[in-house]
Amino acid sequence: MNLLHLWVLLRKRTREANRDFGDPGAITGVLTVIAFASVTALLLVVVGGVGAFAARAELPNASENAQTYLVFAYIAAGLLLVPLATMGGAAARLIVARRDERLANLRLLGATTSQITGLSALDAASQSIAGALLGAVAYFGLIPLVGLVPFEGHGFGFAELWVGAPLLVGVVVAVVVLGIASAVLGLRRVVVSPLGVTKRESTPGLGAIRLAVLAVALIAMVVATSTPAASIAFIAIVLVIGLATLNVVGPFFVGVVGRLYVSGARSAPDLLAARRIIDDPKTAWRSVGGVALATFIAGLASVMALFSKASNPEEQLFMTDVSTGGYLTLAIAGVLAAISTGVTQAGRVISQREQYRNLHLAGAEVEVLEKARMRETVVPMVAVVGLALGASALFMLPVLGAGFFSSIPVLLRFVASVVFAVGLVLLGAGASRGLARAAAAL
């Protein structure tokens, strides 16, 4: 039996399970395609925006701030690159989560590593291709909407935001490659320890060495923003690297929060949520990591109000545009965080479906299981927002001083932005409510 034939049979068996036993796999398939489509569409919008600012900077009548606009566009693109890649990886892991137990059983029955890898690659390719093509179509619909946002006194035209056919194809291929690579890398436990997957053994803990990475990144951010001679480009690079390190230290931080949470648990939902956070802090971090970036961006966008008093109309327009760009970046980051949370939560429910079923059969009400599922998102999210607030303060205080805290309108704007991002993440977490109920009822 060749690999393609085996893959077709596996997909057929999955569809039969969805139809006969109410398996929630069909829902996760839709979520996976939506995630890949969102990554593709938003990545094309971000790339198109950078290209539009670059084109304006090259015009003969370009403004004196044209190059600064371009630098800020690169900063926004760099900030969004990490969550875009993270969400693409989460979508691929969701594909593996749907098949991990079945692939592990095939591995135990004698399937080779190359066969297991090939099956997952085909699965990831089929859904990532569908999502990427759908995202490319959605990109055409987003161009007119983005063009409504004015910069330098007028919006961008279709030709300015159009990335061109070669780059469009390149982005689609990159998303597909990301999906396949993430799915194959996610097979490590299935290939190396299929018995562990079948027995639902926990993953190993995380080392405290991750804290050293965060300390180095924070020191670099403070030094960069405190150095008068540092250029905007240098600060931007340090900023993006600093935020990227959050993905390294974030799981360890969430694991510590889980251990503190379990020590004070006083109810079944609290205890269940805390144990799930401790068992898999990486997944818990992926559920809420996007809100950390959104919180940081909210701080950067809000403080632009402190510079609203400009000496001339051109400077006033520039500061207004910087604030507008910040909030546009915040909106994209918030949407990414919500979708990433929904996809990660779906994968978590699928991987824990046997636990949901056993707890329900043992007498646990669905409402209790649902409260636990939401709390394993809310508790880390509150802690992560606090971590992001501290990181943004370290970045902004050397530049702005205490003026940020003395401006009530700026603080209100900041709080509203954080509430907006948190609300989107909670909506993303709530999207898996039906999936959790279906898993418990199996």
Side-chain angles (χ1 to χ4, degrees), residues 47 59 78 125 207 223 269 295 300 309 323 390 394 410 438:
V47 173
L59 293 175
V223 171
T295 300
L300 296 180
K309 295 181 179 179
S323 181
L394 284 175
V410 173

Side-chain angles (χ1 to χ4, degrees), residues 397-414:
L397 284 178
V399 180
L400 305 174
F404 173 72
F405 300 99
S406 62
S407 177
I408 301 300
V410 173
L411 285 175
L412 291 176
R413 189 179 299 183
F414 177 60

